[in-house]
Amino acid sequence: KQTLLPLLREEISSFIFPCKPALQRPELQHMVLELLRYIPVLLFLLFVCGLDHFIFSILSIIQHHSFIEYSYQTSHHLSVNVMGTSLMAELLRGTIGALNASFDTEVETSNLACLPQPTGMTRQQYLNTCLPLGALALLCLAQVYPFRLRRAIAAFYFPKREKARVLFLYNRLLRQRQNFLLLQRGRVARQARQPPTLGTWLWCRRRWPCLRRCLRQSCTLCGTPETPQHQPCPNPDCGALYCGSCW
């Protein structure tokens, strides 16, 4: 509740607010891990589709450029002529004459039955193949919203445990805020020693007041742009600027 313990700017990023439709930082980490698991499946599907298209292209080339047609023609004529007018000649003509034969052969064949007959996948088939993976990617993005209901469901069935969790969170925030001042003092000191130093910007602003619009300051701790509500440090040798929550 904002009236009980208003969160500081640095503390907001570490909490998940169930009513906010946007994805929040703790949820992004879990979502990125789920998407990393999704990437190998996507790469495998792309590899299989590419391999399918490659094999189809090879078989199609074989089908169009390996067609061979054979044409075989032959003619066979057998004729036995027995000369003479004797009885034996007449007998031989009647017996061996039956062997006379004449026929023509013409055969046409091809290797069409041995060639592959590939059939490529249509766009609809590719689409049907990719739809489950698309649905899986959407589930990776949308699963953060059902996960927000886990705390509410657990609080409904275990109200005492929920009160203990809220009390633990409240006490932890108080302990963190006790150390907040010391941590931020060290942070400001490190920031002042980095070039360009914090004192250089402040000296320029005091030396040339007309440059204040160009050298617009921000909160020394959280980086919020300067507004009329920002508080300057009362030390005349410092002049650092702080927003309301940080001050």
Side-chain angles (χ1 to χ4, degrees), residues 163-173 175:
K163 291 181 180 180
R165 292 180 71 249
V166 172
L167 185 60
F168 169 79
L169 177 62
Y170 181 79
N171 293 328
R172 190 184 71 173
L173 285 175
R175 288 193 299 268

Side-chain angles (χ1 to χ4, degrees), residues 106-148:
E106 182 176 356
V107 178
E108 292 184 358
T109 184
S110 65
N111 64 343
L112 182 62
C114 301
L115 292 177
Q117 306 292 331
T119 302
M121 293 180 62
T122 62
R123 291 185 179 180
Q124 185 63 35
Q125 290 174 333
Y126 279 116
L127 182 62
N128 294 338
T129 305
C130 297
L131 277 179
L133 280 184
L136 181 60
L138 291 178
L139 288 177
C140 292
L141 298 177
Q143 68 177 351
V144 296
Y145 299 104
F147 282 174
R148 295 179 183 179

Side-chain angles (χ1 to χ4, degrees), residues 1 9 14 24-25 32 42 46 57 65 70 85 100 117 135-136 149-150 173 181 185 206 208 221 227 232 235 240:
K1 293 183 180 297
R9 183 183 179 90
S14 61
Q24 301 165 53
R25 182 178 297 179
V32 169
L42 177 61
L46 294 177
S57 301
H65 297 279
Y70 301 92
T85 58
N100 294 341
Q117 306 292 331
L136 181 60
L149 300 176
R150 294 180 296 182
L173 285 175
L181 182 60
R185 276 181 178 175
R206 290 196 298 265
W208 298 288
L221 296 182
T227 61
N235 189 350

Side-chain angles (χ1 to χ4, degrees), residues 44-60:
F44 177 74
L45 177 64
L46 294 177
F47 171 76
V48 170
C49 292
L51 182 63
D52 173 78
H53 182 71
F54 175 71
I55 294 177
F56 169 74
S57 301
I58 293 179
L59 295 180
S60 180

Side-chain angles (χ1 to χ4, degrees), residues 180-193 221:
F180 180 78
L181 182 60
L182 296 177
L183 294 176
Q184 296 304 327
R185 276 181 178 175
R187 178 182 174 185
V188 172
R190 290 191 302 269
Q191 183 179 354
R193 289 191 294 266
L221 296 182

